[in-house]
Amino acid sequence: MLLVSIAAFLAGAMASPVHKDSERPLQIDPSEHAPPPPPPAPELIEISRLPLPPVVADENEGACTVAVNPSRTGCTGKVASLQGGTFLPDDNHVIAKVRFAGAPAAPDPASIYTGEHVIIVKTDNSTFPNGDPWKCLTCGIPKENNHAIPVESPDYAYPQAFADGKRVMAGFYIIDCGEYDLVSPDCVPERTSIYQIRLENTTDGSGAGAAIRELRIHPDQVHLGLNSFTFSGNSLGQSTFFARLQFNAAPTTGLPLGPRYDLAHVNHLMHSGLSPPIYAVGDELHFNHSAITVGELRGFSGTGNEVTYVGYPVESCNIDVFAADLRTGALRRLTAHPGYVDPVQMSPDDRLMVIMDTRGSGRTEFMDGMRGIPPIVDLLTTTVCSSVRNNGQRRFFQPWLLDRYGDRGDYYGQEINGASTGFAGSGGFDDPEWNGGADPWFSNDGTRIVYYQVQTIPPACGGENPLPCSNSSEPGGRRERLMIAHLVERSPLPARNVMPMPDVIPWAVPYVPGETVPAPAYLNLKSGNYTLKGEVSGSASIEIIENDSKTAIQMIKVGFDNFSDDGLATLSGTQNITRNVEGFTINTLDWYSNLTREGIWPSRQFTSPAGFHMSIYVLTNLFEANGTLVTIAEGLTFRQPQDGT
């Protein structure tokens, strides 16, 4: 595919922790420094679709008739906000989120099948007693059983099953069937309850708690990882936490003032013992690649020993995922290939990982295709570099299977469905216009992976967009599908026995409700002129300019003079980037670049004479630019996407 050899080299050359000055060394597993084993050979993978509720041609009230669904158990539209979830403990069922549509009006019993809900889907070609291969878990739950703060449309994102088989977490809710298994005929709406998960954020316990998102169940089943947006200066940021899940049957403060789950013993996942990833000592800048910078928590290793996250880049604009040991702080870079990745899931024994990545699409290489650029301007560009991965609702993700050691040599994983070489519009499993969604999940026995796909639809194709739209060959013209990949050559793993993780993470910062969560220290660099010395030779001269209110960095100018960290190649040339932010979510970059890499894998990055001026709304990922930014590497030329594509 693209830039494989460069990615592999840098995975080995740059992933190792770097210790500078008098920093306390991390406790790192010596085996992680040993040469990795040879990459695995490609393995046989069989892919199939999983069943979903029938589709209605329109979503008007009453469109879901007996003719469409004889069981009268609901329909979806062609676009149903599908999101795949985890396997249940028996591995014969997975959970998913869908949006029902076309239900008849109340008091018709089928009126409960409307809006967003959590369903259970059979994976073994069997059916539930009513003949359906799926069951709605949250439809029809009596109002008195819903103990969450009332909302018109609850968000059941990232559904995950607990190991007891009786509870599911979806969004910041826990759906609980009491003493009954979720798949049992005895688990009916009248026996099902919904509880809200709450993170305290006031000193007196008042209010509805902090706004939390993208929660993940730790394999010990008693702790959670979670994210929460922050707003500092003119920047949108995110804090990440690790906490114990604790049932509170009768709270006396805060909302909801009824049975709920509270998050206790909360750890803010900021490294308290080492310098940040980029810091100044006098007029010299230094990098600390041992720093744990949890920009967005993505989950945990299968054994529960590590937290996985999107971190501060090791190479400029190259967004990768990392893993940090929760007890020791030992750090690993999991991916290195150019492109964007954030969904990652490790197998139950930690020997494999499945990621959703743009690799193979060429989507981001115009920004990150020149390898080994120190991530200096990333103090300004990270939000934009990560937002280019999508065109609105069109993702460029596809699922990739890697072993524990990640990209190396000529190995950068195995594309699970072969979409990089598939035929657009075919509708097959390898159709590149069927894009992967977050997150993929391993089965409990490690032999299967469930993931979901979304077909490209207008405005991401058709009209002014040069990409033609394709018809869907899925039942009912469905634009989303739930997939299962069977690793047929692998034997089932034994059941896991994960010991509970301590409540206190030694390297993290205790979270105190009501206190302002500190911004990452590297964002506090002040205006001035700095020097960054190459590890082997040369240097970079850097000028940092803050905004007028001194609340954020606004401009960075860099000049490289035969700069080399590896002794195999040198960087020369300049970067000059200014960022302006409107309302936290609209980022505009004025980017000037003229860089040359000489030595091994020569490459160039340059902008048009008037510069490259890019604007992106980070909540919709719509790309607009004037001017050009071009990277030439390995004889390939990478240009920015056309506006709106």
Side-chain angles (χ1 to χ4, degrees):
M1 295 304 181
L2 301 177
L3 307 180
V4 176
S5 57
I6 298 178
F9 166 73
L10 287 161
M14 300 190 69
S16 300
V18 177
H19 302 285
K20 292 179 178 291
D21 307 323
S22 58
E23 295 171 355
R24 172 177 60 81
L26 287 168
Q27 303 175 52
I28 296 179
D29 182 353
S31 65
E32 296 299 342
H33 283 295
E43 58 185 283
L44 181 61
I45 301 175
E46 294 179 352
I47 301 174
S48 59
R49 299 174 180 85
L50 291 177
L52 290 169
V55 173
V56 287
D58 66 72
E59 299 187 12
N60 294 325
E61 186 178 277
C64 185
T65 64
V66 174
V68 180
N69 183 353
S71 299
R72 305 204 71 220
T73 50
C75 304
T76 72
K78 294 180 180 180
V79 177
S81 301
L82 172 68
Q83 190 171 50
T86 66
F87 286 81
L88 267 67
D90 63 5
D91 279 344
N92 292 323
H93 304 81
V94 298
I95 51 178
K97 180 198 78 168
V98 297
R99 181 178 56 84
F100 286 96
D108 190 305
S111 64
I112 63 175
Y113 297 101
T114 187
E116 189 169 296
H117 288 280
V118 178
I119 64 173
I120 301 174
V121 180
K122 293 276 190 178
T123 66
D124 59 358
N125 297 316
S126 66
T127 62
F128 289 96
N130 68 349
D132 286 339
W134 55 271
K135 166 187 176 180
C136 184
L137 185 61
T138 51
C139 298
I141 294 176
K143 186 176 181 180
E144 60 269 21
N145 288 14
N146 189 343
H147 305 286
I149 297 173
V151 294
E152 183 176 349
S153 180
D155 182 2
Y156 291 128
Y158 300 97
Q160 299 156 64
F162 285 88
D164 58 17
K166 298 173 171 59
R167 295 175 298 155
V168 162
M169 182 180 75
F172 45 80
Y173 305 101
I174 289 181
I175 300 103
D176 189 329
C177 211
E179 62 182 289
Y180 301 102
D181 288 339
L182 298 170
V183 299
S184 167
D186 295 321
C187 181
V188 294
E190 292 75 20
R191 291 170 173 162
T192 307
S193 299
I194 298 177
Y195 303 102
Q196 189 161 330
I197 301 170
R198 184 175 187 274
L199 173 63
E200 184 64 84
N201 66 340
T202 60
T203 56
D204 61 1
S206 62
I212 55 179
R213 62 187 298 271
E214 297 209 354
L215 285 67
R216 300 293 189 274
I217 301 172
H218 187 271
D220 70 3
Q221 304 296 296
V222 296
H223 290 96
L224 295 182
L226 60 147
N227 301 288
S228 180
F229 280 137
T230 62
F231 303 92
S232 176
N234 63 346
S235 297
L236 173 67
Q238 190 161 226
S239 291
T240 57
F241 304 96
F242 178 86
R244 174 177 283 269
L245 190 63
Q246 187 168 284
F247 186 68
N248 187 347
T252 58
T253 60
L255 298 175
L257 198 59
R260 70 190 189 210
Y261 279 89
D262 289 335
L263 293 171
H265 307 289
V266 183
N267 299 262
H268 184 203
L269 295 179
M270 295 181 66
H271 202 296
S272 60
L274 288 179
S275 300
I278 180 170
Y279 63 98
V281 178
D283 62 357
E284 284 193 5
L285 286 187
H286 297 270
F287 280 102
N288 172 25
H289 295 303
S290 294
I292 300 174
T293 55
V294 189
E296 181 168 270
L297 182 141
R298 299 309 305 161
F300 301 97
S301 61
T303 59
N305 294 326
E306 295 175 306
V307 59
T308 58
Y309 63 92
V310 180
Y312 192 83
V314 174
E315 305 167 80
S316 188
C317 258
N318 190 357
I319 308 299
D320 290 310
V321 285
F322 301 79
D325 191 287
L326 285 166
R327 291 182 175 87
T328 68
L331 181 64
R332 298 192 296 131
R333 184 184 182 188
L334 300 180
T335 59
H337 193 281
Y340 179 92
V341 58
D342 71 38
V344 58
Q345 184 68 208
M346 293 190 190
S347 61
D349 61 357
D350 291 350
R351 295 188 178 183
L352 293 173
M353 57 181 162
V354 57
I355 62 173
M356 285 287 177
D357 199 312
T358 65
R359 61 182 62 189
S361 70
R363 177 70 179 179
T364 65
E365 279 82 351
F366 77 101
M367 307 178 88
D368 60 23
M370 174 178 275
R371 308 306 301 274
I373 303 174
I376 303 167
V377 297
D378 297 69
L379 292 165
L380 299 176
T381 63
T382 297
T383 297
V384 170
C385 291
S386 62
S387 299
V388 174
R389 71 189 187 276
N390 292 354
N391 170 28
Q393 292 301 309
R394 183 192 180 194
R395 297 174 180 266
F396 291 80
F397 282 155
Q398 294 296 345
W400 293 77
L401 184 69
L402 294 90
D403 73 356
R404 171 182 176 82
Y405 302 94
D407 304 316
R408 63 194 186 277
D410 59 358
Y411 171 75
Y412 60 105
Q414 178 178 349
E415 190 173 20
I416 286 174
N417 62 346
S420 292
T421 56
F423 175 67
S426 68
F429 302 150
D430 60 352
D431 186 337
E433 299 309 325
W434 281 86
N435 311 125
D439 283 359
W441 303 94
F442 275 97
S443 61
N444 298 287
D445 69 2
T447 65
R448 284 168 289 173
I449 298 166
V450 65
Y451 64 100
Y452 69 100
Q453 292 181 308
V454 180
Q455 188 182 26
T456 303
I457 60 175
C461 63
E464 296 181 359
N465 194 307
L467 179 70
C469 296
S470 301
N471 293 325
S472 172
S473 58
E474 296 296 306
R478 190 191 311 279
R479 299 290 193 170
E480 302 158 327
R481 58 192 186 189
L482 189 61
M483 316 297 289
I484 189 166
H486 188 189
L487 310 181
V488 297
E489 298 173 356
R490 294 188 175 269
S491 300
L493 298 171
R496 286 183 292 182
N497 182 23
V498 178
M499 298 300 293
M501 182 63 59
D503 287 334
V504 176
I505 304 303
W507 49 264
V509 176
Y511 170 73
V512 180
E515 290 189 359
T516 301
V517 176
Y522 58 88
L523 297 179
N524 298 326
L525 287 171
K526 302 301 181 183
S527 295
N529 294 300
Y530 302 90
T531 298
L532 173 69
K533 295 180 179 178
E535 295 289 335
V536 176
S537 65
S539 63
S541 58
I542 301 151
E543 183 180 2
I544 293 177
I545 301 173
E546 298 172 273
N547 59 18
D548 292 340
S549 59
K550 305 296 183 183
T551 58
I553 298 171
Q554 186 170 24
M555 177 185 289
I556 298 177
K557 301 178 181 180
V558 185
F560 293 101
D561 182 11
N562 292 312
F563 181 94
S564 178
D565 275 338
D566 53 37
L568 301 175
T570 59
L571 285 173
S572 297
T574 59
Q575 292 177 303
N576 182 341
I577 297 179
T578 301
R579 183 184 70 168
N580 291 292
V581 180
E582 298 178 26
F584 295 104
T585 57
I586 301 176
N587 279 247
T588 301
L589 294 183
D590 297 315
W591 185 320
Y592 300 84
S593 182
N594 186 8
L595 295 175
T596 301
R597 176 185 170 102
E598 295 181 336
I600 191 169
W601 304 309
S603 52
R604 291 183 60 206
Q605 183 186 92
F606 55 93
T607 53
S608 50
F612 171 66
H613 309 281
M614 171 183 170
S615 178
I616 196 161
Y617 179 46
V618 300
L619 298 183
T620 58
N621 306 117
L622 293 176
F623 177 94
E624 295 181 1
N626 291 308
T628 58
L629 173 62
V630 178
T631 293
I632 300 174
E634 286 194 283
L636 300 175
T637 299
F638 299 100
R639 303 180 186 277
Q640 76 230 36
Q642 180 178 319
D643 286 5
T645 65

